[in-house]
């Protein structure tokens, strides 16, 4: 700054640009700070002062960069998984684009948007804020998709056989991508290596584009055995949303040709999924939880045998569910389970979830696995929220003053008023008279519950209040029943099934369920998922209760 004139120094100081940020400014940035022809010499002086040395270094390195570029936005990289890598300098100018190793020769995919994000990362690294630079889901998917496509094309071009890249090739490519794009590093405690998540995504993409092999019958004996190319890989967890957060997402393969009434023999059970994923995860040194995957498979088979008895022991079932938690969540969170088939498939694999006690215990495992008093604390928080919501409903003029009504009538009235206390700015689906019908429905004396479920326009958990008890259903699938005396905790049962079955909130009551998630379950929502309606409703609620 001392070498600049007073006008330049004052302008840069007013723009909060320190001397450390000056080398990162481009010509366009300097032109925006000093527009007009009268500042031409001043712009040139600033550029020459901080960029002369860098331009000389780039001119000296330009012959190597021209040799490493293929003219199509791809940086040439020769990958060999058996050769170790040298640590990379954090400076973007010192990052090599080429990796001279033996064949096969693969390429690191890059384009203008990826290069822009990479440049932004190194600029933020100068001020110690590189952790705020992340790669969007769209760019990550584009990078994974094009990388796999390029690798398959290159290996097909270099050999006459119909082959795919090996797991070692993908492992080396994942290491190289994380080195070239540092924002792809995964430093979570569940991953032993920063490139492990990207490696799984590359294998998953390859699995999606591979030509499926049809099962063949017996073949005549040949002198030379046919060679089969098998690639077993562990699948990836985000993105939605959910998603979400606290739970791990995986992709598994299920047999969709069976009917809803078929037995478990027609589809891959969670134990079979664990067996299929075992080899690849063991190669990476990844273990889920404290139980090995073979042990979780045995626990699942034991659980199935217990439910063949008339009255399974609840404590024994809960213990097995604790031990088999990781494999079960991978099965339930799978993207291959359609929302319409999800309840039937899950109940078929885990009939224990027809009991609300086991579903509430599953909610504890998902949100606070180490807290044995989670359910009692949750009920206490719900009672506090419910008492405040009664006065909030009177304030919003959607609920009458508290009277001497019985507990069932008072609880039903509260559940019907909750969607109006915390409304969602979305039009109701057709044939849904009120937003509360997405949560609770009081059955008329002449109304058939099966008929009501079949013509219900939304696919979400619902409480059906009958004369003698309450029934909980998901979509058109009845799940369980419980006494009407427990209807005051019916909202907690609904939330537990949303979490246990990995269901998406209906848009017509999404704001209400988000409020219950943060205020009652104390499960935080990411800022990117917090809608304006949720923020406005939450601020009004906080203002009413004085927080």
């Amino acid at each position: 700054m001392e070498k600049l004139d007073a006008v330049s120094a004052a302008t840069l100081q007013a723009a909060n640009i320190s001397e450390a940020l000056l080398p990162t400014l481009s010509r366009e940035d300097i032109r925006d700070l000093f527009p007009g022809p009268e500042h031409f010499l001043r712009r040139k002086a600033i550029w020459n002062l901080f960029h002369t040395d860098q331009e000389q270094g780039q001119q000296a390195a330009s012959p190597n960069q021209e040799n490493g570029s293929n003219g199509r936005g791809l940086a040439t990289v020769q990958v060999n998984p058996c050769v170790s890598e040298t640590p990379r300098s954090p400076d973007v100018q010192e990052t090599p684009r080429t990796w001279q190793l033996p064949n096969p020769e693969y390429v690191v995919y890059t384009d203008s948007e990826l290069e822009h994000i990479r440049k932004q990362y190194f600029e933020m690294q100068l001020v110690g804020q590189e952790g705020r630079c992340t790669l969007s889901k769209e760019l990550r998917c584009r990078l994974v998709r094009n990388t796999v496509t390029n690798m398959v094309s290159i290996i097909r071009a270099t050999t006459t056989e119909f082959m795919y890249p090996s797991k070692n090739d993908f492992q080396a490519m994942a290491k190289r991508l994380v080195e070239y794009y540092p924002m792809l590093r995964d430093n979570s405690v569940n991953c032993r290596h920063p490139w492990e998540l990207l490696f799984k995504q590359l294998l998953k993409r390859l699995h999606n584009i591979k030509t499926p092999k049809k099962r063949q019958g017996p073949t005549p004996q040949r002198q030379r055995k046919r060679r089969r190319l098998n690639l077993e890989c562990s699948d990836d967890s985000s993105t939605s949303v959910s998603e979400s957060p606290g739970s791990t997402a995986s992709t598994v393969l299920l047999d969709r040709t069976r009917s809803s009434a078929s037995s478990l023999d027609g589809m891959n059970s969670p134990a079979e999924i664990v067996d299929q994923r075992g080899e690849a995860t063991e190669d990476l040194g990844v273990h889920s939880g404290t139980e090995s995957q073979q042990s979780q498979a045995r626990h699942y088979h034991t659980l199935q045998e217990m439910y063949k008895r008339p009255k399974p022991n609840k404590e024994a079932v809960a213990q097995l569910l604790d031990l088999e938690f990781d494999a079960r969540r991978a099965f339930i969170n799978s993207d291959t389970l359609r929302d319409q088939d999800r309840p039937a498939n899950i109940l078929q694999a885990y009939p224990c979830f027809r009991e609300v006690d086991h579903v509430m215990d599953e909610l504890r495992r998902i949100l606070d696995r180490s807290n044995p008093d989670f359910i009692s604390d949750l009920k206490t928080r719900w009672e506090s929220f419910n008492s405040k919501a009664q006065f909030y409903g009177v304030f919003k003029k959607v609920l009458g003053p508290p009277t001497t009504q019985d507990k069932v009538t008072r609880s039903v009235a509260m559940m019907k008023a909750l969607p109006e206390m915390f409304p969602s700015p979305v039009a109701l689906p057709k044939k849904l008279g009120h937003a509360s019908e997405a949560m609770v429905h009081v059955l008329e004396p002449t109304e058939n519950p099966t008929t009501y479920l079949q013509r219900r326009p939304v696919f979400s958990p619902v409480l059906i209040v009958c004369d003698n008890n309450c029934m909980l259903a998901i979509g058109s699938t009845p799940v369980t029943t419980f006494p009407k005396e427990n209807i005051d905790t019916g909202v907690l049962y609904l939330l537990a099934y949303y979490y246990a079955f990995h269901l998406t909130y209906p848009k017509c009551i999404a704001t209400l369920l988000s409020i219950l998630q943060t205020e009652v379950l104390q499960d935080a929502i990411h800022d990117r998922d917090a809608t304006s309606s949720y923020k406005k409703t939450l601020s009004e609620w906080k203002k009413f209760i004085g927080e």
Side-chain angles (χ1 to χ4, degrees):
M1 290 289 189
E2 298 177 356
K3 299 181 181 180
L4 300 177
D5 61 319
V7 176
S8 300
T11 304
L12 294 174
Q13 186 177 4
N16 295 326
I17 297 177
S18 62
E19 188 172 355
L21 290 177
L22 280 175
T24 66
L25 297 179
S26 63
R27 295 185 184 273
E28 291 76 12
D29 297 334
I30 298 176
R31 188 179 296 109
D32 292 340
L33 290 170
F34 303 95
E38 65 275 9
H39 296 297
F40 172 76
L41 295 178
R42 184 173 285 112
R43 292 196 299 267
K44 185 175 182 181
I46 295 175
W47 179 264
N48 293 336
L49 184 61
F50 293 98
H51 293 80
T52 302
D53 296 337
Q54 295 182 8
E55 287 182 350
Q56 293 176 356
Q58 291 177 0
Q59 291 175 1
S62 60
N64 295 333
Q65 293 181 358
E66 291 176 359
N67 294 334
S69 175
N70 63 359
R72 295 181 300 168
L74 300 175
T76 304
V77 177
Q78 296 188 358
V79 180
N80 189 341
C82 299
V83 180
S84 60
E85 306 159 81
T86 58
R88 183 181 60 81
S89 171
D91 191 0
V92 65
Q93 283 80 11
E94 298 180 6
T95 302
R97 287 174 177 255
T98 61
W99 203 13
Q100 298 298 331
L101 293 176
N103 286 331
E105 182 181 12
Y106 294 118
V107 295
V108 170
Y109 176 80
T110 182
D111 56 24
S112 58
E113 294 185 41
L114 289 171
E115 287 296 331
H116 176 74
I117 294 296
R118 182 170 177 267
K119 178 182 177 182
Q120 183 182 2
Y121 173 87
F122 288 107
E123 290 177 354
M124 298 178 68
Q125 191 180 43
L126 295 176
V127 294
Q129 298 181 356
E130 65 274 11
R132 299 174 57 185
C133 182
T134 58
L135 203 63
S136 65
K137 181 179 179 182
E138 179 183 357
L139 288 179
R140 177 184 284 265
C141 292
R142 182 196 303 173
L143 176 62
V144 171
R145 182 173 60 250
N146 292 333
T147 297
V148 175
T149 302
N150 292 340
M151 293 181 69
V152 173
S153 301
I154 289 172
I155 200 171
R156 299 273 177 85
T158 56
T159 180
T160 58
E161 299 182 7
F162 189 80
M163 296 177 60
Y164 291 96
S166 65
K167 291 170 61 176
N168 292 333
D169 293 343
F170 280 112
Q171 181 174 326
M173 177 58 74
K175 293 179 181 179
R176 181 61 179 138
L177 286 173
V178 169
E179 181 183 3
Y180 194 75
Y181 300 106
M183 68 287 297
L184 292 173
R185 292 179 177 270
D186 185 8
N187 298 321
S188 60
V189 296
N190 296 326
C191 294
R192 295 184 57 185
H193 308 286
W195 46 265
E196 188 176 302
L197 177 60
L198 185 61
F199 172 66
K200 295 178 182 179
Q201 291 175 337
L202 291 173
L203 289 181
K204 179 181 177 181
R205 176 59 185 171
L206 176 66
H207 179 78
N208 291 338
I209 67 174
K210 284 185 65 177
T211 304
K213 292 182 176 295
K214 296 182 180 180
R215 182 175 298 177
Q216 298 180 352
T219 56
Q221 185 67 26
R222 294 183 174 89
Q223 294 180 356
R224 184 179 179 181
K225 295 183 178 180
R226 293 194 303 173
R227 183 181 179 184
R228 297 183 62 187
L229 298 175
N230 292 330
L231 181 63
E232 295 184 10
C233 61
S234 63
D235 295 326
D236 179 26
S237 97
S238 100
T239 117
S240 1
V241 346
S242 118
E243 134 185 73
S244 100
S247 59
T248 305
S250 300
T251 302
V252 292
L253 298 178
L254 298 180
D255 184 6
R256 297 175 178 271
T257 58
R258 54 175 173 71
S259 62
S260 59
S262 63
S263 65
L264 282 173
D265 297 335
M267 74 175 191
N268 289 352
S269 66
E272 295 170 340
I273 295 169
V274 170
D275 293 338
Q276 293 174 359
R277 303 193 310 161
E279 181 180 350
T281 50
E282 287 180 0
D283 292 340
L284 290 171
V286 181
H287 299 280
S288 16
T290 58
E291 289 289 319
S292 67
Q293 298 183 351
Q294 290 78 7
S295 299
Q296 293 190 44
R298 290 195 299 269
H299 297 326
Y300 175 75
H301 289 305
T302 305
L303 184 64
Q304 293 300 309
E305 293 297 326
M306 291 185 64
Y307 266 86
K308 294 179 181 179
R309 305 170 187 173
K311 293 183 179 180
N313 188 307
K314 282 191 174 183
E315 295 182 358
V317 171
Q319 184 178 6
L320 288 173
L321 290 175
D322 283 334
L323 297 174
E324 199 255 345
F325 175 77
D326 294 326
R328 180 172 65 257
R329 296 319 305 172
F331 167 72
I332 292 176
N333 297 341
S334 167
D335 293 334
T336 57
L337 290 177
R338 297 186 307 172
D339 289 344
Q340 292 77 5
D341 302 334
R342 188 181 298 271
N345 290 339
I346 295 176
L347 292 174
Q348 189 176 8
Y350 295 96
C352 55
F353 286 154
R354 291 188 179 274
E355 304 176 28
V356 291
D357 293 338
H358 289 308
V359 176
M360 293 294 290
D361 210 22
E362 184 75 356
L363 179 65
R364 174 191 63 82
R365 296 185 191 96
I366 296 173
L367 295 181
D368 197 353
R369 191 173 182 177
S370 60
N371 183 11
D373 301 326
F374 172 81
I375 296 178
S376 59
D377 296 341
L378 176 62
K379 291 182 178 180
T380 302
R381 290 196 299 269
W382 165 245
E383 291 174 0
S384 175
F385 179 89
N386 191 23
S387 61
K388 296 176 183 178
Q390 290 181 1
F391 294 98
Y392 187 63
V394 176
F395 172 75
K396 299 279 285 187
K397 298 181 181 180
V398 297
L399 192 65
T403 59
T404 58
Q405 297 175 338
D406 61 283
K407 182 171 66 173
V408 175
T409 305
R410 187 169 59 251
S411 299
V412 172
M414 171 59 68
M415 294 179 68
K416 288 186 174 182
L418 281 175
E420 295 184 65
M421 298 182 199
F422 310 100
S424 298
V426 178
L428 296 177
K430 295 181 179 179
K431 299 181 181 180
L432 189 68
H434 194 270
S436 62
E437 288 290 322
M439 291 181 57
V440 62
H441 176 74
V442 180
L443 207 64
E444 298 294 337
T446 59
E447 194 173 10
N448 188 348
T450 304
T451 306
Y452 167 75
L453 291 176
Q454 291 177 351
R455 60 181 174 83
R456 189 164 172 261
V458 291
F459 186 88
S460 62
V462 62
L463 286 178
I464 299 179
V465 183
C466 307
D467 294 334
N468 301 324
N469 57 11
C470 295
M471 181 177 68
L472 194 149
I474 302 178
S476 59
T477 305
V479 178
T480 187
T481 59
F482 59 90
K484 293 180 68 174
E485 292 76 15
N486 298 337
I487 194 174
D488 55 336
T489 57
V491 174
L492 299 182
Y493 295 158
L494 291 175
L495 292 174
Y497 273 99
Y498 272 108
Y499 273 75
F501 283 26
H502 196 64
L503 300 174
T504 305
Y505 293 162
K507 293 183 179 180
C508 57
I509 56 172
T511 302
L512 166 62
L513 296 178
S514 300
I515 293 290
L516 295 176
Q517 174 181 334
T518 54
E519 297 300 300
V520 180
L521 301 183
Q522 293 186 352
D523 185 17
I525 295 179
H526 198 280
D527 292 337
R528 292 176 297 183
D529 299 328
T531 61
S532 58
S533 173
Y534 164 78
K535 295 178 181 178
K536 177 182 177 182
T537 306
L538 182 62
S539 63
E540 293 176 355
W541 166 255
K542 294 287 188 181
K543 183 178 179 181
F544 177 81
I545 63 178
E547 293 185 3

